[in-house]
Amino acid sequence: MLKQIIDIFEILDSPTASGARVQEYISSIGEVGCEIKRAISDKGATDFIRITIPGIRGKSMGGEAPTLGIIGRLGGLGARPERIGFVSDGDGALAVLAAAAKLAKMSAQGDRLAGDVILTTHICPDAPTRPHKPVPFMDSPIPMELKNEWEVSGEMDAILSVDTTKGNKILNHRGFALSPTVKEGYILKTSDDLLELMAQVTGRLPQVFALTQQDITPYGNGLYHLNSILQPSTATAAPVVGVAITTEVAVAGCATGATHLMDVEAAARFTLEVAKSFTEGACVFFDAAEFAKIQSLYGPMTHFQTSGNGAA
């Protein structure tokens, strides 16, 4: 998928990056559904983009094959005028849009998946930054609630959330790592199927990153969050797994020259393999029977999907 990574990078690494430019590129590859919605606030503006690749037995075709959602999480692609160039924070959008381009090409050539794949992200070349330890975060021109409203769809039966996760001290591996499955406020066992696919794609032992309860609560409640990678889990009952693009040392989200294209390509290729397997029914994100049992023993945990009592 390196060609798609490079092509998308050239589009996104520009002060004129936009949803329209990405849509033009994707549409030149194959006929896919591509929606754009512009959101504006006092912090700036961004283009939400949603790309749907229909499957042979997908719901969009009247079938019953499961639908995979792939979300690129980020604050922005750039921090202009403070920083010039593509920032580390944009890696999630780059990976997901490259995966969309590859899926569009595959579909046009006749290699169609069993189920639908919905890929969403947003495109902002001039997002603000904000203080965060150990390194500054990229901020976003629009609130998390609006991101989830656009990027998380009820049609998604499972979600991969791809996000740069370099600004921390707990991930000391360059490449990408997976989170345990998060569903309805529970942090569940890491999916064996996803670990096997990761090993297949990378040719190495799989990497898993730690989650805390704070990480799966909504932004804005005053609690510390690793980053926004698991924020989609606050807006859906579907299982969500984070795909974190990582480094050995802490790198700021607003750092330029920090995108390792081969690492992004591996993460994008992983999402593609999950899409193939999941929509065929050959990959599960969680054990449904065990989830039912944990709920019967301990009750619902959906209150962790809310802002809580007296949130800051």
Side-chain angles (χ1 to χ4, degrees):
M1 292 178 59
L2 191 55
K3 180 183 187 304
Q4 287 76 27
I5 292 286
I6 293 172
D7 287 348
I8 291 290
F9 183 79
E10 289 300 311
I11 294 171
L12 300 185
D13 184 21
S14 167
T16 60
S18 67
R21 290 186 64 193
V22 173
Q23 183 182 42
E24 181 181 7
Y25 171 72
I26 298 289
S27 298
S28 71
I29 298 171
E31 293 185 8
V32 298
C34 187
E35 306 169 63
I36 298 173
K37 180 179 180 180
R38 189 157 181 82
I40 302 173
S41 76
D42 57 358
K43 290 185 177 182
T46 191
D47 289 342
F48 286 111
I49 185 166
R50 178 182 295 160
I51 301 164
T52 303
I53 313 293
I56 296 173
R57 302 190 304 277
K59 296 173 185 175
S60 64
M61 305 296 288
E64 297 182 353
T67 298
L68 180 66
I70 307 176
I71 299 175
R73 298 316 303 254
L74 69 159
L77 304 171
R80 297 173 180 87
E82 184 179 342
R83 300 286 177 91
I84 296 175
F86 188 86
V87 296
S88 172
D89 198 51
D91 289 359
L94 173 58
V96 169
L97 292 173
K102 181 64 173 180
L103 283 164
K105 181 176 181 179
M106 289 169 55
S107 182
Q109 292 177 333
D111 274 342
R112 296 179 61 193
L113 274 57
D116 300 338
V117 182
I118 302 173
L119 306 100
T120 64
T121 190
H122 74 97
I123 299 169
C124 178
D126 48 12
T129 62
R130 64 182 174 88
H132 183 270
K133 293 183 179 181
V135 294
F137 261 0
M138 286 290 293
D139 202 350
S140 175
I142 41 89
M144 187 60 64
E145 295 82 3
L146 186 57
K147 286 185 185 179
N148 281 341
E149 181 181 330
W150 175 257
E151 294 174 349
V152 180
S153 168
E155 301 165 78
M156 299 172 177
D157 295 306
I159 295 172
L160 293 176
S161 177
V162 188
D163 197 352
T164 310
T165 311
K166 302 174 183 177
N168 62 80
K169 296 178 181 178
I170 67 167
L171 289 168
N172 310 120
H173 160 78
R174 181 179 152 184
F176 72 94
L178 302 182
S179 77
T181 299
V182 176
K183 179 173 168 60
E184 297 178 69
Y186 274 100
I187 301 175
L188 302 174
K189 176 182 178 292
T190 308
S191 165
D192 287 332
D193 290 342
L194 295 181
L195 293 176
E196 289 174 7
L197 285 172
M198 183 179 185
Q200 171 184 306
V201 166
T202 64
R204 299 192 299 265
L205 292 172
Q207 298 285 331
V208 178
F209 67 92
L211 281 182
T212 68
Q213 199 65 37
Q214 296 100 305
D215 294 325
I216 68 168
T217 62
Y219 267 20
N221 59 6
L223 298 178
Y224 180 88
H225 293 78
L226 176 67
N227 66 355
S228 68
I229 191 166
L230 267 305
Q231 287 301 294
S233 72
T234 67
T236 180
V240 179
V241 169
V243 181
I245 299 172
T246 61
T247 45
E248 291 185 12
V249 298
V251 176
C254 57
T256 57
T259 293
H260 307 281
L261 294 184
M262 296 307 297
D263 297 343
V264 179
E265 189 273 343
R269 188 157 31 92
F270 169 76
T271 67
L272 176 61
E273 293 307 309
V274 174
K276 293 177 186 176
S277 186
F278 178 77
T279 62
E280 290 174 352
C283 168
V284 296
F285 279 47
F286 72 105
D287 184 319
E290 186 167 75
F291 183 68
K293 183 173 182 179
I294 198 172
Q295 285 188 307
S296 69
L297 290 171
Y298 298 103
M301 297 281 273
T302 51
H303 52 285
F304 284 108
Q305 295 178 284
T306 74
S307 296
N309 299 322

